[in-house]
Amino acid sequence: GLELSVNNNTADFSVVTMAGPSVSLSCLVQNSSQDERLLWYRGDGQVDLKDGNKVNISHICVSPVTESDNGVVFTCRLARDKSTQVSVTLDVQFPPHLTGEESLHTEEEKSVTMSCNAKSNPQARTAWYKNNELLTLEQNRYQLYQTSEVFQLSITKVQKSDNGTYTCVVTSPLGEGRKDFHLIVGDKKPPFPKEAVIAAVVVVTVTVLFGIVARKDKIFKVWTAL
């Protein structure tokens, strides 16, 4: 019976490629006794095809392939029977891109979070270093959080001994990225004395009240004259 093929595949498949080069996809009608019009879709959106590239055979080219194309599905469908189709998923591989440095200033007893945002395909592994040595995670003080794109290290109740350079190292089969965090822990600031504030408010309030009382006769005479 009638069927479609994309790049000689009659079933859904994936194309593994790197970011940069172009990818060409060719859809062909097979076993048809009449001319068949073809449609291409990128995700849910229909691709605009030029005349002469719609009947029996149709080509599209993704150029250049970018990291944002990873996971995008291209589908070739028969115009008169959209259930006849072949889909292609782009598997765009790229190394982690992670560079730069950041300075973090905090004070003792507070918490701090260092965050690395690094996309990669295949997914990368992460490790944290302090002053170029693999960080030993102290229980109840260090917390790690990780998704496919975000790697975080949190330190609770920082101490002066936490001063130093922390490095987030992200590694995949295609490469490595790293980012430095310079943590500077200062002395804990003494709490602002609430009692002094309350006392100052009371003094000002009492002073204003005494001023009003002292001038009440004068104020009364002015109102009487009016």
Side-chain angles (χ1 to χ4, degrees):
L2 185 149
E3 64 180 4
L4 299 181
S5 67
V6 174
N7 291 11
N8 297 320
N9 294 276
T10 57
D12 297 348
F13 66 103
S14 297
V15 172
V16 179
T17 183
M18 300 292 291
S22 61
V23 169
S24 296
L25 302 174
S26 179
C27 184
L28 177 66
V29 178
Q30 297 177 329
N31 305 326
S32 176
S33 59
Q34 64 184 51
D35 288 340
E36 298 286 356
R37 191 162 67 90
L38 298 171
L39 305 173
W40 274 104
Y41 291 82
R42 176 190 171 105
D44 296 327
Q46 188 171 341
V47 178
D48 186 23
L49 300 174
K50 293 182 179 180
D51 292 337
N53 189 29
K54 302 178 180 179
V55 179
N56 296 334
I57 186 169
S58 181
H59 308 275
I60 62 171
C61 182
V62 184
S63 180
V65 175
T66 66
E67 295 176 7
S68 61
D69 292 319
N70 183 46
V72 172
V73 178
F74 289 88
T75 303
C76 179
R77 290 177 178 153
L78 201 63
R80 67 179 178 89
D81 180 9
K82 293 184 176 61
S83 64
T84 303
Q85 65 178 40
V86 177
S87 294
V88 185
T89 303
L90 295 188
D91 183 0
V92 183
Q93 301 197 341
F94 52 92
H97 301 298
L98 184 64
T99 57
E101 57 185 338
E102 184 177 336
S103 292
L104 301 173
H105 297 262
T106 188
E107 60 186 64
E108 288 181 294
E109 298 299 318
K110 288 195 173 183
S111 298
V112 67
T113 297
M114 291 163 270
S115 182
C116 293
N117 298 309
K119 294 176 61 176
S120 66
N121 183 31
Q123 187 173 342
R125 295 179 293 104
T126 183
W128 285 92
Y129 291 79
K130 180 184 179 183
N131 298 329
N132 295 320
E133 294 185 0
L134 189 63
L135 182 63
T136 301
L137 300 180
E138 294 181 30
Q139 192 175 9
N140 300 326
R141 283 226 314 133
Y142 293 90
Q143 290 84 40
L144 294 179
Y145 172 78
Q146 180 173 336
T147 68
S148 60
E149 299 179 12
V150 178
F151 309 98
Q152 289 183 340
L153 169 67
S154 296
I155 308 175
T156 59
K157 295 185 178 180
V158 295
Q159 306 165 2
K160 286 290 187 69
S161 59
D162 292 318
N163 273 310
T165 297
Y166 294 79
T167 305
C168 172
V169 179
V170 183
T171 307
S172 83
L174 299 180
E176 178 183 282
R178 56 176 56 216
K179 182 178 179 180
D180 289 333
F181 297 86
H182 305 294
L183 179 61
I184 301 171
V185 181
D187 293 331
K188 183 179 180 180
K189 296 179 181 178
F192 198 76
K194 294 182 180 179
E195 294 79 4
V197 175
I198 295 173
V201 171
V202 171
V203 170
V204 171
T205 303
V206 171
T207 302
V208 171
L209 290 175
F210 274 117
I212 293 174
V213 171
R215 300 180 61 190
K216 68 177 182 178
D217 293 339
K218 185 175 181 181
I219 294 173
F220 179 75
K221 289 178 182 179
V222 170
W223 276 102
T224 303
L226 293 176

